[in-house]
Coordinates of all heavy atoms in Angstrom, one line a residue:
V257 N -13.2 -11.2 2.2 CA -12.4 -10.6 1.1 C -11.7 -9.4 1.7 O -12.3 -8.4 2.2 CB -13.4 -10.1 0.0 CG1 -12.6 -9.3 -1.1 CG2 -14.0 -11.3 -0.7
G258 N -10.4 -9.5 1.7 CA -9.6 -8.4 2.2 C -9.2 -7.3 1.2 O -9.0 -6.2 1.6
L259 N -8.9 -7.7 0.0 CA -8.5 -6.8 -1.0 C -9.1 -7.1 -2.4 O -9.1 -8.3 -2.8 CB -7.0 -6.8 -1.2 CG -6.1 -6.5 0.0 CD1 -5.6 -7.9 0.6 CD2 -4.9 -5.7 -0.3
E260 N -9.7 -6.2 -3.0 CA -10.2 -6.3 -4.4 C -9.1 -5.5 -5.2 O -9.2 -4.3 -5.5 CB -11.5 -5.6 -4.6 CG -12.7 -6.3 -3.8 CD -14.0 -5.6 -4.1 OE1 -14.2 -5.0 -5.1 OE2 -14.9 -5.7 -3.2
N261 N -8.1 -6.3 -5.7 CA -6.9 -5.7 -6.3 C -7.2 -5.3 -7.8 O -6.7 -4.3 -8.3 CB -5.7 -6.6 -6.2 CG -5.0 -6.5 -4.9 OD1 -5.1 -5.5 -4.2 ND2 -4.3 -7.5 -4.5
A262 N -7.9 -6.1 -8.5 CA -8.2 -5.9 -9.9 C -9.2 -6.9 -10.3 O -9.5 -7.9 -9.6 CB -6.9 -6.1 -10.8
P263 N -9.9 -6.7 -11.5 CA -10.8 -7.8 -11.9 C -10.1 -9.1 -12.0 O -9.1 -9.2 -12.6 CB -11.2 -7.2 -13.3 CG -11.1 -5.7 -13.2 CD -9.9 -5.5 -12.3
G264 N -10.7 -10.1 -11.4 CA -10.1 -11.5 -11.4 C -8.9 -11.6 -10.5 O -8.2 -12.6 -10.5
H265 N -8.7 -10.7 -9.6 CA -7.5 -10.7 -8.6 C -8.0 -10.2 -7.3 O -8.1 -9.0 -7.0 CB -6.4 -9.9 -9.1 CG -5.1 -10.0 -8.3 ND1 -5.0 -9.8 -7.0 CD2 -3.9 -10.4 -8.7 CE1 -3.8 -10.0 -6.5 NE2 -3.1 -10.4 -7.6
V266 N -8.4 -11.2 -6.5 CA -9.0 -10.9 -5.2 C -8.2 -11.6 -4.1 O -7.8 -12.7 -4.3 CB -10.5 -11.4 -5.1 CG1 -11.1 -11.1 -3.7 CG2 -11.3 -10.7 -6.2
V267 N -8.0 -11.0 -2.9 CA -7.3 -11.6 -1.8 C -8.2 -11.8 -0.7 O -9.0 -10.9 -0.3 CB -6.1 -10.7 -1.4 CG1 -5.4 -11.3 -0.2 CG2 -5.1 -10.5 -2.5
V268 N -8.2 -13.0 -0.2 CA -9.0 -13.4 1.0 C -8.1 -13.4 2.2 O -6.9 -13.7 2.1 CB -9.7 -14.7 0.9 CG1 -10.9 -14.6 -0.1 CG2 -8.8 -15.8 0.5
S269 N -8.7 -13.1 3.4 CA -7.9 -13.0 4.6 C -8.7 -13.5 5.8 O -9.9 -13.3 5.9 CB -7.6 -11.5 4.9 OG -6.8 -11.3 6.0
G270 N -8.0 -14.3 6.6 CA -8.7 -14.9 7.8 C -8.0 -16.0 8.4 O -6.8 -16.2 8.2
A271 N -8.7 -16.8 9.2 CA -8.2 -17.9 9.9 C -7.8 -19.0 9.0 O -8.4 -19.3 8.0 CB -9.2 -18.5 10.9
V272 N -6.7 -19.7 9.3 CA -6.1 -20.7 8.4 C -7.1 -21.8 8.1 O -7.3 -22.2 6.9 CB -4.8 -21.2 8.9 CG1 -4.3 -22.4 8.1 CG2 -3.7 -20.1 8.9
P273 N -7.8 -22.4 9.0 CA -8.8 -23.4 8.7 C -9.9 -23.0 7.7 O -10.3 -23.7 6.8 CB -9.4 -23.8 10.1 CG -8.4 -23.4 11.1 CD -7.7 -22.2 10.5
A274 N -10.3 -21.7 7.9 CA -11.3 -21.2 7.0 C -10.7 -21.0 5.6 O -11.4 -21.2 4.6 CB -11.9 -19.9 7.5
L275 N -9.5 -20.5 5.5 CA -8.8 -20.4 4.2 C -8.7 -21.7 3.5 O -8.9 -21.8 2.3 CB -7.4 -19.8 4.4 CG -7.4 -18.3 4.8 CD1 -6.0 -17.9 5.2 CD2 -7.9 -17.4 3.7
D276 N -8.4 -22.8 4.3 CA -8.3 -24.1 3.7 C -9.6 -24.5 3.1 O -9.7 -25.1 2.0 CB -7.8 -25.1 4.7 CG -6.3 -24.9 5.1 OD1 -5.6 -24.2 4.3 OD2 -5.9 -25.4 6.2
R277 N -10.7 -24.3 3.9 CA -12.0 -24.7 3.4 C -12.4 -23.9 2.2 O -13.0 -24.5 1.2 CB -13.1 -24.4 4.5 CG -13.0 -25.4 5.7 CD -14.2 -25.3 6.6 NE -14.3 -24.1 7.3 CZ -13.7 -23.8 8.5 NH1 -13.1 -24.8 9.1 NH2 -13.9 -22.6 9.1
L278 N -12.1 -22.6 2.1 CA -12.4 -21.8 1.0 C -11.7 -22.3 -0.3 O -12.3 -22.4 -1.4 CB -12.0 -20.3 1.2 CG -12.4 -19.4 0.1 CD1 -12.8 -18.0 0.7 CD2 -11.3 -19.2 -0.9
E279 N -10.4 -22.7 -0.1 CA -9.6 -23.2 -1.2 C -10.3 -24.5 -1.8 O -10.3 -24.7 -3.0 CB -8.2 -23.5 -0.8 CG -7.3 -23.8 -1.9 CD -5.8 -23.6 -1.6 OE1 -5.5 -23.0 -0.6 OE2 -5.0 -24.0 -2.4

Side-chain angles (χ1 to χ4, degrees):
V257 173
L259 304 98
E260 296 180 26
N261 278 335
H265 188 303
V266 178
V267 175
V268 289
S269 181
V272 172
L275 290 169
D276 290 341
R277 288 193 293 270
L278 185 147
E279 188 160 351

